[in-house]
Amino acid sequence: MSETYQSRLEHVGDLDQLMSFKEAVLTGGFQKGVQVMEVSNGGNLSATVLPGRCMDLYQVRYKGKNMNYLAPCGIVAPEYYDASGLRWLRNFFVGMLTTCGLQHIGGPMMKDGEELGLHGRIANTPAENVKYERGVKGENPTITLEGTMREARIFGENLTLHRKLEFEYESDSIVMTDTITNHGFGDRQFVYALHLNYGYPLLEEGTKMIFDSLETVPREEHAAKYADTWKQIEAPDYPYPERCYFHKIRRDENGMAQYTLFNEKRSIGVNIQYSGNDLPYFCEWKMLGKGEYVLGLEPMNTFLDGPKVGEDGCEAPVLAPGESKVYTVRMNFIDKL
């Protein structure tokens, strides 16, 4: 028997009895000062969101089980960000989602006298105009989180990334809508990648990786040695040099792409759906080391190792003055295939 929203209200004193929301500012160590929001959807799903770090998803639990990898550095406040070389890794909590861009993805480089660090600045940008809102969808309560990240400088880009995360009562999904806007007076290329990262206990030996790859290209020689095992999830090993593969994922008749990661032994998994037309490139980051046991499955809007923003041949999208581009990603958490 389905319940109405009104009948649910008659049973509760505070809406936290249905869907709970908490926000706080972290204290102690490198995380001091980072704003955090936590949502529990009243069913199987809970999530920790970091407005202090690009509204990224730090952790998602499904049926009480952790779904993503957490790096040993923990949460690090954005004031410790350093673009030099690979120092981005000292702030890389990994999490369910770390956003990459908006003016650089890939390895560090120098451009026009500016050092562009690994995967760009946006993941270390705190949100402004942060808010949460309770609502109703059909007969179900909802919680929506929103915030805007600014990536701008004089004589350069003037971009914002507005993120909206939608949660629904007892629905095992998160819908993320990102809107990137060019506030400048000239055309501006931008890059955007979703570094989605999975960990134990979802990820362990025998976990299934399911998607239709029309083309698989190893990133370098080491990965090429294991190209026929790109789909296999092995037990942790040490040492384990990372392996990356570029995939061309099949799209349906509507241009949608998807992938699934599923652990049959534990009956937990995740299914990610997005527009393959908007995010046509895809990188698999396979890093199954002891203590560094993570699988990144990353849609992006341009080729990771291709020409960079402003370079000849760069295929990153261009926003005209005042123009916006909207990306929507649906994260479904599942207990069966």
Side-chain angles (χ1 to χ4, degrees), residues 73-244:
C73 67
I75 297 170
V76 180
E79 54 260 39
Y80 295 104
Y81 172 61
D82 186 344
S84 303
L86 298 177
R87 293 182 186 176
W88 182 86
L89 295 173
R90 295 196 176 275
N91 290 54
F92 184 34
F93 56 72
V94 185
M96 175 59 72
L97 170 64
T98 294
T99 308
C100 303
L102 296 170
Q103 289 293 278
H104 184 66
I105 57 173
M109 62 176 288
M110 289 292 297
K111 179 189 171 190
D112 299 330
E114 181 181 10
E115 189 159 10
L116 302 177
L118 179 66
H119 289 323
R121 308 183 63 87
I122 197 66
N124 284 277
T125 303
E128 48 192 86
N129 300 320
V130 177
K131 67 175 183 178
Y132 95 98
E133 184 174 33
R134 292 187 183 267
V136 184
K137 183 178 181 180
E139 297 296 339
N140 288 331
T142 63
I143 289 177
T144 301
L145 310 181
E146 295 187 60
T148 302
M149 285 62 66
R150 186 199 308 253
E151 185 164 321
R153 67 179 180 89
I154 194 169
F155 309 133
E157 72 279 3
N158 187 1
L159 301 170
T160 57
L161 165 60
H162 178 81
R163 174 161 291 166
K164 179 168 69 172
L165 295 162
E166 298 174 88
F167 301 84
E168 184 177 344
Y169 182 61
E170 293 186 328
S171 170
D172 297 331
S173 299
I174 302 171
V175 178
M176 182 176 77
T177 304
D178 282 353
T179 304
I180 299 171
T181 302
N182 177 13
H183 299 276
F185 292 90
D187 292 349
R188 174 61 59 171
Q189 281 188 308
F190 72 99
V191 290
Y192 170 81
L194 298 175
H195 212 304
L196 289 152
N197 314 286
Y198 307 101
Y200 181 83
L202 168 62
L203 189 73
E204 61 183 331
E205 186 175 12
T207 295
K208 291 185 175 181
M209 187 182 348
I210 305 166
F211 58 85
D212 193 354
S213 179
L214 303 177
E215 181 180 69
T216 301
V217 179
R219 189 180 189 190
E220 40 73 45
E221 185 177 344
H222 175 74
K225 293 179 182 179
Y226 302 93
D228 59 344
T229 66
W230 67 263
K231 189 180 285 192
Q232 297 176 18
I233 305 300
E234 302 91 8
D237 198 5
Y238 186 87
Y240 189 100
E242 64 180 7
R243 308 170 193 172
C244 290

